[in-house]
């Protein structure tokens, strides 16, 4: 014979969107009975489990929405291999107070020094703290902006980008930008200015950014906005990837 109350309970829990509650209530009832827990303790345990699981799912959704090429944490970065990087500052930035203050981060250094890893780690930390994050390379972002402009959806894309708490632009300087591409990237950064935070990684020092943007005026205006409230992460030295590979082989 069908257990009508149980079916009704499942229906209500589904409507209320309490999947953990639904999956655990019977099991936890047995455990709490064996531990002589009263109904308040039983319900509190179920509610706690639901909240923990809900937060986990929300973090997973934010990580997926961020479009990280891979998921890397700061815990997996070997700071000993990159002594030029300020570890205390980097770990403090992982608390994400800079996002609340709408400050920016620029990581500078040669190719292979771990700039992307640091950006990914800070992005992951932001997702874990409930912030909206978007990761992209400079070349991919410019390509998407030009495509959006051609398809008359540029304004919608700009709105999506400026709605992020943290926009991460990786590999600025690897590819020179066209005049229109540089202007579109400048416009996005200007729109994000003091609305949210930006992390930029670049293999070029600031005095060489003109080679990327093709205009001293545009580069100056861009740096003026980015460096108004900024944390600079210097990552100079031998390739982090090469050193890490050597260390693993030893």
């Amino acid at each position: 014979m069908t257990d009508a109350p149980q079916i009704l309970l499942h229906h209500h829990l589904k409507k209320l969107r309490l999947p953990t509650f639904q999956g655990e209530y019977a099991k936890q009832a047995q455990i709490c009975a064996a531990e002589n827990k009263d109904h308040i303790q039983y319900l509190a345990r179920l509610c706690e489990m639901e909240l923990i699981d809900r937060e986990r799912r929300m973090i997973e959704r934010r990580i997926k929405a961020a479009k990280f090429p891979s998921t890397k944490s700061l815990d997996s970065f070997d700071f000993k291999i990159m002594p030029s990087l300020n570890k205390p500052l980097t770990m403090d930035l992982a608390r994400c107070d800079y996002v609340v203050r709408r400050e920016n981060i620029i990581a500078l250094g040669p190719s292979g020094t771990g700039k992307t890893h640091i950006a990914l780690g800070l992005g992951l930390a932001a997702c874990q703290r409930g912030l909206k994050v978007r990761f992209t390379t400079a070349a991919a972002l410019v390509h998407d902006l030009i495509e959006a402009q051609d398809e008359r959806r540029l304004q919608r894309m700009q709105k999506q980008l400026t709605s992020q708490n943290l926009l991460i632009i990786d590999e600025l300087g690897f590819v020179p930008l066209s005049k229109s591409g540089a202007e579109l990237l400048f416009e996005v950064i200007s729109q994000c200015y003091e609305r949210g935070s930006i992390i930029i990684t670049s293999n070029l020092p600031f005095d060489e950014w003109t080679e990327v943007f093709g205009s001293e005026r545009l580069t100056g205006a861009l740096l003026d906005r980015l460096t108004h409230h900024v944390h600079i992460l210097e990552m100079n030295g031998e390739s982090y990837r090469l050193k890490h590979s050597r260390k693993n082989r030893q």
Side-chain angles (χ1 to χ4, degrees):
M1 186 175 180
T2 304
D3 188 347
Q6 189 174 31
I7 292 174
L8 189 61
L9 176 59
H10 275 263
H11 173 75
H12 291 334
L13 291 174
K14 187 174 181 181
K15 279 283 186 180
L16 290 168
R17 297 181 181 178
L18 299 171
T20 305
F21 213 108
Q22 182 174 338
E24 291 286 337
Y25 76 87
K27 176 183 176 183
Q28 293 304 318
Q30 293 178 344
I31 293 173
C32 287
E35 295 176 353
N36 292 318
K37 304 290 185 183
D38 61 26
H39 68 285
I40 298 295
Q41 292 170 306
Y42 165 64
L43 288 172
R45 181 177 292 185
L46 282 173
C47 289
E48 182 180 18
M49 293 176 71
E50 185 68 52
L51 286 170
I52 291 171
D53 201 40
R54 182 172 295 183
E55 179 60 23
R56 178 189 58 78
R57 294 194 300 270
M58 288 176 67
I59 290 171
E60 288 175 353
R61 285 196 294 271
R62 286 192 289 266
I63 291 172
K64 184 177 180 180
K67 298 184 178 179
F68 297 129
S70 60
T71 305
K72 293 185 178 181
S73 70
L74 293 179
D75 292 338
S76 62
F77 188 86
D78 190 347
F79 285 88
K80 293 178 182 177
I81 293 179
M82 192 52 56
S84 65
L85 178 61
N86 187 331
K87 181 178 179 180
L89 172 60
T90 305
M91 300 310 294
D92 184 63
L93 290 171
R95 296 168 54 195
C96 299
D97 293 337
Y98 73 96
V99 181
V100 177
R101 297 189 297 265
R102 296 182 176 89
E103 297 168 349
N104 302 317
I105 298 172
I106 301 178
L108 299 173
S111 178
T113 51
K115 299 182 299 297
T116 299
H117 188 150
I118 293 298
L120 287 168
L122 291 171
L124 178 62
C127 287
Q128 292 169 336
R129 282 160 179 75
L131 300 170
K132 292 172 63 179
V133 180
R134 174 68 191 280
F135 181 100
T136 181
T137 64
L141 177 57
V142 168
H143 175 271
D144 290 344
L145 288 167
I146 292 173
E147 191 175 78
Q149 185 178 53
D150 292 342
E151 297 175 0
R152 298 184 179 181
R153 52 180 179 83
L154 178 61
Q155 191 173 3
R156 186 172 65 197
M157 182 178 176
Q158 289 172 330
K159 187 176 180 180
Q160 291 173 345
L161 292 170
T162 55
S163 70
Q164 305 299 312
N165 299 116
L166 175 62
L167 175 63
I168 302 174
I169 304 174
D170 194 31
E171 298 182 345
L172 179 69
F174 280 75
V175 180
L177 305 177
S178 65
K179 183 176 183 294
S180 61
E183 290 172 350
L184 286 169
L185 181 57
F186 172 79
E187 190 172 351
V188 165
I189 291 173
S190 295
Q191 289 171 345
C192 290
Y193 175 61
E194 294 192 330
R195 292 186 187 178
S197 293
I198 302 173
I199 294 178
I200 289 182
T201 74
S202 178
N203 62 323
L204 298 177
F206 291 138
D207 58 6
E208 294 182 23
W209 281 29
T210 305
E211 298 174 13
V212 180
F213 290 94
S215 164
E216 289 186 9
R217 178 189 59 81
L218 193 67
T219 305
L222 179 77
L223 286 172
D224 183 59
R225 286 161 174 75
L226 283 174
T227 59
H228 184 203
H229 309 290
V230 71
H231 302 275
I232 306 292
L233 299 179
E234 296 280 356
M235 301 179 67
N236 296 310
E238 189 181 350
S239 169
Y240 172 88
R241 287 192 289 265
L242 180 59
K243 282 187 175 182
H244 198 266
S245 177
R246 286 176 183 163
K247 186 176 180 180
N248 287 339
R249 287 198 300 268
Q250 288 176 355

